Amino acid sequence: IKTKERFEFMSAQKNDMEQAEEKLQKVINEMVSIMKRQFMEQFKLINENFNMVFKELFDGGRAELILVDKENILESGIEIEVQPPGKKLQNLMLLSGGERAFTAIALLFAILRLNPTPFCVLDEIEAALDDANVYKFAQYLKKYSNVTQFAVITHRKGTMEAADTLYGVTMQEHGVSKVVSLKMGEKVG
Amino acid sequence: MHLKRLEIQGFKSFADRIQLDFNSGITAVVGPNGSGKSNISDAIRWVLGEQSAKTLRGGKMEDVIFAGTEHRKPLGFAEVSLTFDNSDGILPIDFSEVTVTRRVYRSGESEYMINKTQCRLKDIYELFLDTGIGKDGYSIIGQGRVDEILSSKSEERRGIFEEASGIMKYKVRKQEAERKLEMTRQNLLRINDIITELENQLEP
């Protein structure tokens, strides 16, 4: 009789467990479908913004993000295809170092444009750009600085020229950093 | 909401107390290589709750404390304070100016404060929730982010899009459910074994 009781108890447990399994499976499926939908929506928006920011920064051309595996968007890789003005459409890897860095910056700006943050710290992200592109980068910052407050760490002249406030970090005493506030060209304090 | 002021004391190469005032628009920090420019962005990341010492270019958290030089003794603690103008009330707190402070001692002890009142790290996370500010948000972009985008593997590039599209929270929940599901399946297996055994005992 004891065995029978145990058997019934275990069967009930089994039943519970099977229901829990079913529920969890449902939760997972739900999450997957929410993620798919939201990812696709946002991806499309990022893509549109990316193309727009790219055109603005490169003065033309076009850029596109491509899902490698459209059947499996939650694991698919993402390719970046760009066409700088006057050049053929090509994969990101075939561009020069500076063009690649500039494309990456365009993508970051595209994401920022979609989800603006109140402030943004940029740590030497324009180091690889040439002077002309640094200028465009700085102009872009200036244009969007009414939406987002930017703090940029930089050693490029073009960016410094666009700044409203400048701080200099120096290490007069070995190993100890000091900060001085600067007005373009002259030292204040 | 915008940044007003950053104060650093004893953090990395900033042995003496320094203060940076931010105006609206663009603030540029310049200086020669190795002068400690990037320690400023590290300080901002840190005060917002960064937990990974590696992200801050250190081995362990105590490494952020000024370690001394030939002429200076090491310091006992590091402190960073970041002050925001909250007159537009974007931060869910009843102050027009909000200062978050983080301090770490050599013993490894950490302290967090909001407007000089001690709080938990969780309170700081919650304060900035949904503002796009925070250690994983897009408010601090370093060289690493650019490298991530330029990675030669298109799979490695996904992370940035997953964050930007806001699906990270669902991903965490899904992983949790998957873990529970796995546990349930293990338990089911064991119960099935027991049931088979009991059936054998019952039948004869």
Side-chain angles (χ1 to χ4, degrees), chain A residues 3 19 27 29 60 80 83 94 101 103 115 119 153 182 184-185:
Chain A
T3 318
Q19 273 173 14
V27 169
N29 292 343
I80 302 176
Q83 185 171 20
L94 301 171
T103 306
N115 304 314
F119 74 88
I153 293 164
L182 301 169
M184 295 306 277

Side-chain angles (χ1 to χ4, degrees), chain A residues 6 12 17 20 24 37 41 47 71 81 97 101 103 109 111 114 123 135 144 162-163 168 177 185-186 188:
Chain A
R6 278 190 71 198
M17 221 73 92
L24 283 169
R37 200 174 56 230
E41 263 170 32
N47 214 345
E71 301 296 305
E81 267 187 5
T103 306
F109 280 158
I111 292 171
L114 188 65
D123 189 355
Y135 178 76
Y144 283 90
S177 301
E186 51 161 339
V188 176

Side-chain angles (χ1 to χ4, degrees), chain A residues 43 64-68 77-81 91-93, chain B residues 152-154 157:
Chain A
F43 186 78
E64 199 183 352
L65 301 166
I66 294 163
L67 283 168
V68 178
I78 291 160
E79 286 295 344
I80 302 176
E81 267 187 5
N91 188 288
L92 181 65
M93 289 305 132
Chain B
S152 55
K153 289 196 187 113
S154 66
R157 236 176 263 140

Side-chain angles (χ1 to χ4, degrees), chain A residues 120-134:
Chain A
C120 185
V121 179
L122 305 172
D123 189 355
E124 288 194 29
I125 63 168
E126 87 287 33
L129 307 187
D130 64 25
D131 286 340
N133 284 345
V134 168

Side-chain angles (χ1 to χ4, degrees), chain A residues 76 78 121 124 149 167 177, chain B residues 3 13 35 139 141 143 157:
Chain A
S76 160
I78 291 160
V121 179
E124 288 194 29
Q149 179 189 18
Y167 284 103
S177 301
Chain B
L3 280 183
S13 60
S35 60
S139 48
I141 297 170
Q143 203 68 57
R157 236 176 263 140

Side-chain angles (χ1 to χ4, degrees), chain B residues 51-119:
Chain B
Q51 291 299 297
S52 147
K54 210 178 119 214
T55 316
L56 299 167
R57 301 176 293 150
K60 51 188 191 305
M61 213 28 112
E62 291 87 272
D63 290 347
V64 303
I65 306 172
F66 179 73
T69 66
E70 261 173 62
H71 306 288
R72 291 232 194 184
K73 282 192 185 145
L75 292 174
F77 71 92
E79 181 182 286
V80 176
S81 292
L82 194 57
T83 305
F84 299 88
D85 181 298
N86 189 39
S87 43
D88 49 11
I90 287 185
L91 295 177
I93 184 171
D94 242 356
F95 292 96
S96 59
E97 200 177 281
V98 180
T99 303
V100 291
T101 305
R102 180 175 182 184
R103 196 186 286 165
V104 69
Y105 295 92
R106 283 235 172 262
S107 58
E109 229 175 305
S110 246
E111 271 174 24
Y112 298 90
M113 282 173 265
I114 294 174
N115 283 353
K116 304 269 180 236
T117 309
Q118 211 161 357
C119 66

Side-chain angles (χ1 to χ4, degrees), chain A residues 31 38 85 93 98 117-118 121 134-135 145 149-150 169-170 179 184:
Chain A
M31 287 298 141
Q38 186 160 340
M93 289 305 132
T117 58
V121 179
V134 168
Y135 178 76
S145 63
Q149 179 189 18
F150 288 105
V169 179
T170 62
V179 171
M184 295 306 277

